[in-house]
Amino acid sequence: MLYAMCFFLFVIGLYCALVKKNMVKIVIGIMIMEYAVDLFLIMLGYRAGGVAPIVGKDEFDAVSGMVKSSFINASVDPLPQALVLTAIVISLGSLSLMISICIRTYEKYGTFDITEIRRLKG
Amino acid sequence: MSMFCFFLFFMIFLVIAALIAVHTDNLLSSVICVGAIGFGGSLMFLFLRAPDIAITQIAVEVLGLIILIRATISRDKTFISGQREFFGIVFSVAVLFAISAVGLKGFEDLPEFGTPAFVAAAETQEIVASEDYIEQSLSRTGAANAVAAVILDWRAYDTLGEATVLFTSILGAVVILRKETRNSPETIK
């Protein structure tokens, strides 16, 4: 159910990117898709009643130098969290690139309407 | 179960914010709705036991909102009338339905919400990377935070590549936004 809601969020973003004529709206649609994918990946690693993957003082066995099995059986998945961290930072870079393209296009054509821009070119 | 309902309400909030962001005519309110999705998502990351992601999401969201408002403020005079061509819309909606059908079919194989994918995979496979990360990141890398251990030690080259991508995209933005070129007539004079 939650996965399906996440996918619905993704489809809303895809609809916005495909159908809207405003360039900034297209960028917003791509951002919504990014949020949906990030949320989905984090949800895939969630454990019901789990703890964050940070080892506390009580979960560490100082004699053997290993973490206790109570932590291993309770921690959520750290791998999707690490990869989503990368994806979020990269999404900021791609957002700035897309918005700079939008600003440049507005300076040149005076509009955000992509059909208008196409008409001026032909 | 109560946690599931809590997440469900959160997802409904995010979907409503997304629908408003898509359908409103005013660009500035659309951008504000994107902010609602971003900060709501950050709260959701916090409750999904991902504090590192929540912190990063807040920082990135603030910067992203500044960039988006920079693009829309005093430029939202664009008056969009009507939609795209009829054929284009029909084609896009058909593509959307095809993707939805395929995607919903893919969800059937996933484990139930609350069971991590790596636990389900550990039943059939011997080596699962996530288990090793949880077990050994403290003893082998010395980092108490497994996420920091993954991005800065186990997969440090991945983070290097991320920094390269970020640098390249900022470089592209600077090149696109630059007004005066090096060989413009003003600078030659």
Side-chain angles (χ1 to χ4, degrees):
Chain A
M1 182 68 189
L2 277 174
Y3 294 148
M5 293 286 283
C6 244
F7 189 66
F8 187 53
L9 198 63
F10 180 85
V11 170
I12 292 171
L14 194 61
Y15 167 80
C16 188
L18 283 179
V19 172
K20 292 290 168 179
K21 290 206 298 187
N22 196 325
M23 284 180 83
V24 179
K25 274 284 177 70
I26 292 174
V27 173
I28 284 172
I30 293 171
M31 281 186 76
I32 292 173
M33 282 157 71
E34 277 166 359
Y35 291 140
V37 171
D38 292 349
L39 262 178
F40 173 68
L41 287 176
I42 295 290
M43 274 181 187
L44 214 53
Y46 178 69
R47 197 197 294 259
V51 296
I54 301 171
V55 183
K57 226 174 200 169
D58 305 331
E59 288 137 352
F60 174 60
D61 189 4
V63 180
S64 63
M66 300 293 283
V67 292
K68 289 178 181 168
S69 63
S70 63
F71 176 74
I72 294 171
N73 291 325
S75 166
V76 299
D77 196 349
L79 183 57
Q81 293 193 13
L83 296 185
V84 164
L85 202 68
T86 309
I88 288 177
V89 176
I90 286 178
S91 79
L92 181 68
S94 63
L95 170 72
S96 66
L97 189 60
M98 285 188 290
I99 286 296
S100 60
I101 291 173
C102 288
I103 291 174
R104 202 81 180 114
T105 315
Y106 189 89
E107 280 173 3
K108 195 162 168 61
Y109 295 108
T111 178
F112 277 137
D113 192 337
I114 53 169
T115 53
E116 201 75 27
I117 293 162
R118 193 175 58 191
R119 201 169 296 138
L120 286 172
K121 180 185 152 207
Chain B
M1 191 61 209
S2 64
M3 216 52 192
F4 182 82
C5 291
F6 179 72
F7 286 134
L8 201 60
F9 280 124
F10 242 108
M11 278 312 293
I12 290 170
F13 169 74
L14 293 187
V15 166
I16 290 172
L19 283 175
I20 296 173
V22 170
H23 276 286
T24 183
D25 284 335
N26 192 346
L27 271 186
L28 198 57
S29 43
S30 182
V31 168
I32 290 168
C33 282
V34 169
I37 302 172
F39 287 119
S42 151
L43 262 180
M44 194 148 172
F45 287 140
L46 200 60
F47 288 111
L48 283 167
R49 305 286 187 271
D52 309 82
I53 313 283
I55 296 166
T56 317
Q57 172 81 17
I58 286 181
V60 164
E61 190 57 38
V62 169
L63 279 174
L65 276 186
I66 292 171
I67 294 171
L68 270 174
I69 288 175
R70 163 81 173 79
T72 51
I73 203 110
S74 79
R75 281 193 184 79
D76 54 354
K77 307 278 195 303
T78 309
F79 184 68
I80 309 274
S81 60
Q83 294 283 322
R84 285 195 192 178
E85 302 92 340
F86 180 71
F87 178 74
I89 287 185
V90 168
F91 184 71
S92 333
V93 172
V95 167
L96 276 182
F97 271 105
I99 290 175
S100 311
V102 174
L104 288 177
K105 208 164 176 51
F107 285 126
E108 290 170 3
D109 294 337
L110 288 179
E112 280 287 302
F113 179 74
T115 312
F118 78 92
V119 171
E123 289 169 3
T124 53
Q125 292 172 15
E126 265 184 36
I127 302 170
V128 178
S130 302
E131 264 185 358
D132 288 355
Y133 289 149
I134 295 173
E135 273 180 39
Q136 300 170 9
S137 59
L138 182 57
S139 54
R140 287 183 59 181
T141 69
N145 189 343
V147 176
V150 171
I151 59 171
L152 294 178
D153 201 306
W154 299 99
R155 292 176 186 234
Y157 278 123
D158 189 37
T159 310
L160 181 68
E162 172 207 342
T164 314
V165 170
L166 197 63
F167 177 74
T168 315
S169 68
I170 299 299
L171 200 69
V174 168
V175 168
I176 288 169
L177 283 180
R178 189 169 55 183
K179 287 270 164 54
E180 289 183 11
T181 55
R182 195 167 288 170
N183 298 326
S184 69
E186 289 84 11
T187 37
I188 290 172
K189 258 187 279 176

